[in-house]
Amino acid sequence: MGKQPLPRWKALTRAGILLGLALLMAGFVVRDVRARDFLRTDYVALGLWIAGALLAVGGCVLNYRMFLSLLSGRRAGEGINLALTVVLALGLAGLLCFITSRRFARLDWTGRRTYSLHSKTRNILKGLDQDVTATVLFARADDPLTGRALESTMDVLEEFKSQTGHVTVREINWMLQEDQGRWEGLRQTLGDEDVPPFAVIFTTADGHEVVPLGKIITAAMGQVQFTGEDAFAGALTKLTERRKATIYFLTGHGERPMEVDEPMPTGGEQATLTSGPAYSLSRMVKALRKDNYEVKTLNLAAEPQVPDDCDALVIAGPRTPINEAQMRAIRSYLDERSGRALVMLDPVVVSGGASGLEGLLADYDIQAHTDAVGLTNQSTILGLMQSPDVWVLEDGLADHPITRDLKNYTVHFQYACPLTVGESAQPPQPGGPAGPAPVAEQLLTGQASWGERDYRPDSRRAAEYDAGRDVAPPTVVGAVASPPEPPPMGPMAPPMAQEAPGARLVVIGSSLSFVNRVVEAEPANLYLVLNTVNWMAGKLHMLGIPPRTLEFNDIPVSEGQIAASRYIFIIGLPAVIVALGIGVWLLRRR
């Protein structure tokens, strides 16, 4: 005897159970999604809940015999066993998710390591020797930009915590009643200082630094950028360094100006390679001040010697000779006081004359060929092109603390004069460096360049390398002379070992390569000079690549759209996959 068809009322009530459950779920979705964007949708959700509950409960009551028969059969036991297995599996997965939310590791899979701390920040954190508390002061707001700034700030500070045990992070929402006590305690610590409503306050036992929202996010040409890592690292440096180092820039010989104080050319005037705001060193000076340096000028015609507080002397592209009296003051600073100096020379075609530094460099076994210009031949789709540029690639960077973090960058020198290390043409001057004899070594080398002594900028004919006259390739454009490092005490020598006593001299064959116009396009040049100054001043914890800005490329999405996406991808798509699987199973069963 065939199976009797269900009465119409039973079929309708059983379908009503499924429809009621769907209406209950729809009520939650409508309330979560639509109520965020439109008013008075709570009534719609309430109506769906009431209708769904009536259909589901009524259908279950009218079909109670069906549920009793399902529970009494063998298949019911198998179903209950399957349900318990699923529940236990979901519980185990939830437990693992809970554990990983408390104990986790962050991985940056971007090609340029966009969301990782930069080497300079990591070195600053590893160099901390005192406890620092970072307090994030904020108020919850509907402004999406502030919310993103808060999220990025917390991400960076969590990375800070992962690098050192000296950083503690806490949050204070000054609009919440439960945070008022901590907010009042922080205000007492800060005294009468005005604090913006959104800021990060770094405090130690001896002081504090406030980083406002304006330094955490910036807007340039309509593009919002996150600059928090750089601002936080600078605040830690200012807060924890016991003494502010001082850098002196030599003046009085036509050196590159350290500020944008020259007017732009007007009328028929043209900016030259030595004039105009684009050819000053103001960007470099600004970066040094951000690294907690005090930057001053030094005119040895007015002062008899290099000041006692000079941690490093910068001689940037002199265009007239330094007289003998001033040269003696520089020698005395280097030789007798274990001074540090960065000398940036230009070829004569740029400077227009000699600097008189040849004898000083010879004492350190370095010769600058200011009568030559580094040239490079390049193969392009238009044929062979020649330019007064020297590119220093990874194979041209010495294994030195200054260049160790520049391995993934190309340093670009323009109008550079070649250097010779270990073959000085001039004999050392009497009364040279005292103490351990400095060791000179190549620092930056352009492998595909040579030094052309017959370079003429206005010539239409390409220059050719003359083995008997020109400076042979490869072209050395950077050299360093320093006391020999002491042998390591063991196989695990610390990476931040104490520096050896004695003078330190860095010579670079171009000052033009560090002016505003160049470092804006070639950030690696700025990283090089900052690492050079930090190494000379003994601030080894400041070596590395400084943080870059992180652009906010957000897509404007409302809260309702976010909630809708959650249901689509977490419930909707899996449900469709399950339905397709059931449909395939039913078709194959037939």
Side-chain angles (χ1 to χ4, degrees), residues 300-312:
L300 289 175
E303 299 186 41
Q305 64 178 12
V306 178
D308 293 336
D309 63 342
C310 178
D311 292 283

Side-chain angles (χ1 to χ4, degrees), residues 250-525:
L250 189 67
T251 62
H253 315 91
E255 291 88 353
R256 297 274 176 191
M258 52 179 285
E259 303 288 356
V260 185
D261 54 3
E262 297 186 28
M264 290 294 292
T266 59
E269 299 178 7
Q270 296 290 327
T272 67
L273 297 179
T274 55
S275 65
Y279 295 94
S280 77
L281 303 175
S282 62
R283 285 183 177 269
M284 181 174 71
V285 171
K286 181 180 179 181
L288 288 172
R289 286 173 175 155
K290 186 182 293 185
D291 279 357
N292 202 33
Y293 284 102
E294 185 172 358
V295 182
K296 299 179 179 180
T297 59
L298 172 63
N299 191 330
L300 289 175
E303 299 186 41
Q305 64 178 12
V306 178
D308 293 336
D309 63 342
C310 178
D311 292 283
L313 176 65
V314 178
I315 305 175
R319 287 183 281 175
T320 60
I322 302 173
N323 64 39
E324 187 59 34
Q326 297 176 18
M327 194 63 67
R328 283 197 300 269
I330 297 174
R331 287 180 183 277
S332 174
Y333 166 70
L334 290 172
D335 301 340
E336 300 174 11
R337 295 160 51 189
S338 295
R340 287 90 196 279
L342 167 61
V343 177
M344 294 188 288
L345 298 175
D346 291 307
V348 175
V349 297
V350 174
S351 64
S355 64
L357 290 166
E358 292 78 8
L360 174 68
L361 301 185
D363 287 348
Y364 292 87
D365 218 7
I366 299 172
Q367 180 186 6
H369 302 279
T370 56
D371 58 340
V373 176
L375 296 185
T376 302
N377 287 330
Q378 292 180 288
S379 297
T380 67
I381 58 175
L382 300 178
L384 190 65
M385 301 290 291
Q386 189 175 87
S387 63
D389 300 274
V390 177
W391 284 273
V392 179
L393 308 180
E394 182 176 355
D395 57 353
L397 297 171
D399 185 18
H400 191 275
I402 293 176
T403 55
R404 197 163 290 154
D405 289 308
L406 295 174
K407 296 297 183 180
N408 294 326
Y409 294 85
T410 298
V411 188
H412 179 200
F413 289 90
Q414 302 179 8
Y415 288 94
C417 65
L419 306 176
T420 300
V421 178
E423 301 175 7
S424 297
Q426 298 204 16
Q429 300 290 332
V439 177
E441 58 180 313
Q442 299 177 2
L443 187 66
L444 304 154
T445 305
Q447 303 292 349
S449 306
W450 81 93
E452 176 61 46
R453 282 197 163 94
D454 292 327
Y455 176 72
R456 294 179 176 82
D458 55 349
S459 176
R460 296 184 179 181
R461 184 178 179 182
E464 296 181 358
Y465 170 65
D466 185 349
R469 176 174 176 79
D470 297 330
V471 182
T475 301
V476 179
V477 290
V480 58
S482 62
E485 296 292 338
M489 300 301 294
M492 298 296 291
M496 294 294 182
Q498 295 294 323
E499 59 187 44
R504 294 190 174 198
L505 178 68
V506 178
V507 183
I508 296 178
S510 174
S511 71
L512 179 66
S513 301
F514 303 97
V515 298
N516 295 344
R517 180 185 64 84
V518 176
V519 298
E520 184 176 357
E522 307 286 350
N525 291 27

Side-chain angles (χ1 to χ4, degrees), residues 213-228:
L213 179 63
K215 292 185 177 180
I216 298 174
I217 56 175
T218 59
M221 301 180 65
Q223 177 63 56
V224 180
Q225 298 176 329
F226 178 77
T227 55

